[in-house]
Amino acid sequence: MDNERAVLSYLKEKYSTEGWLQRDKISVKDALKVLILDPLKASLGAQSDSSSFHIRLTYSEASDEALGVSKTTHESKRRKTDAENGSNCTSENSFEKVYEPCIFSVHCNKMPIFFSGRYFKYSRNVSQSRWIIDDERMGEASVEEILGGNILPACLGDSYKFHAAGREDIDVRMLGSGRPFLIEVQNSRQCPSEQSLKEVEEKINNSEKKLVGVKDLKCIGSQCWAMMREGEAEKQKQYVALVWIARPLEEKDFNSISSLKELKILQKTPVRVLHRRSPLDREKIIHWMNVEKIKGHSHYFLLHLCTQAGTYIKEFVHGDLGRTTPSMGSILGCRAEIIQLDVTDVKMGD
């Protein structure tokens, strides 16, 4: 290919006005593909077609040590000058005698395979993804490591990537129907059977600490990305929050809260995430809310609510120093604080 570029450079310089030089030309790379493909099919007894299994054939120039040849000072200077000038095209004088064949290597790999499912997080000390600050782990584990660490061995893969439809804070549990996720396994040597995946599910769900659970684990195609993007941006999420207010809860509060439907709120980027998120104003919708009493505790109640994806629930309750309006505190006319929060449903369908 270096020689091909050198020849083309020479021809364009010498025959720049010739029309035949402007017509489409087949490259050496494409010609090699045509020449190599039929012999490979014959010798391997296999057909050539699109596949998730890829074989990369690499031809590279032998090193100077292997050749036992030292470049002259002039050659070294010329190549250094070309590199500094940003030249990626060798001149017609760059042809060199070949002393040894090039080095040939074969690398086989398989395109990623994907697993989908829904996960549950039962602990308030487990992050969604691995979280390290100043070389210190935050939380006792992560959903990513528990799921990926169990699925990867079943695939005999090299590595995995974890993707989820949204996320919850480390101190928020994921309950109800679970949160949709994808595990992308790189270069797997085997695709687990349905029975193997059931065994992986059982191993995670029956672990001693029961930090994380999983359901509906299955192998799927890469078309899953559309579903994940929808889940992150457009769908509804349901929560239950344990709320404290500065005055006793009154009967009229139940109606005033439950009567609010499709409530539009404006949220500035919360103070707690300003260090990593742009300062923006976000308009979100609280679709519905209702209040559940806690017997014997007039200052506490459970708030059930359904919101647009991306709503900051903690800030909606306490107001975030006036950065979320309206808030539960402004609706009730008193200070409100959130004690605990759980996600109870992530709706992916219409």
Side-chain angles (χ1 to χ4, degrees), residues 21 24 53 58 68 93 118 176 184 322:
L21 191 58
D24 291 338
F53 182 69
T58 304
N93 297 320
R118 285 182 175 247
E184 177 184 348

Side-chain angles (χ1 to χ4, degrees), residues 310-329:
T311 305
Y312 291 104
I313 306 302
K314 293 176 180 177
E315 283 67 27
F316 170 66
V317 172
H318 59 64
D320 197 27
L321 306 174
R323 296 173 66 84
T324 290
T325 55
S327 65
M328 184 53 56

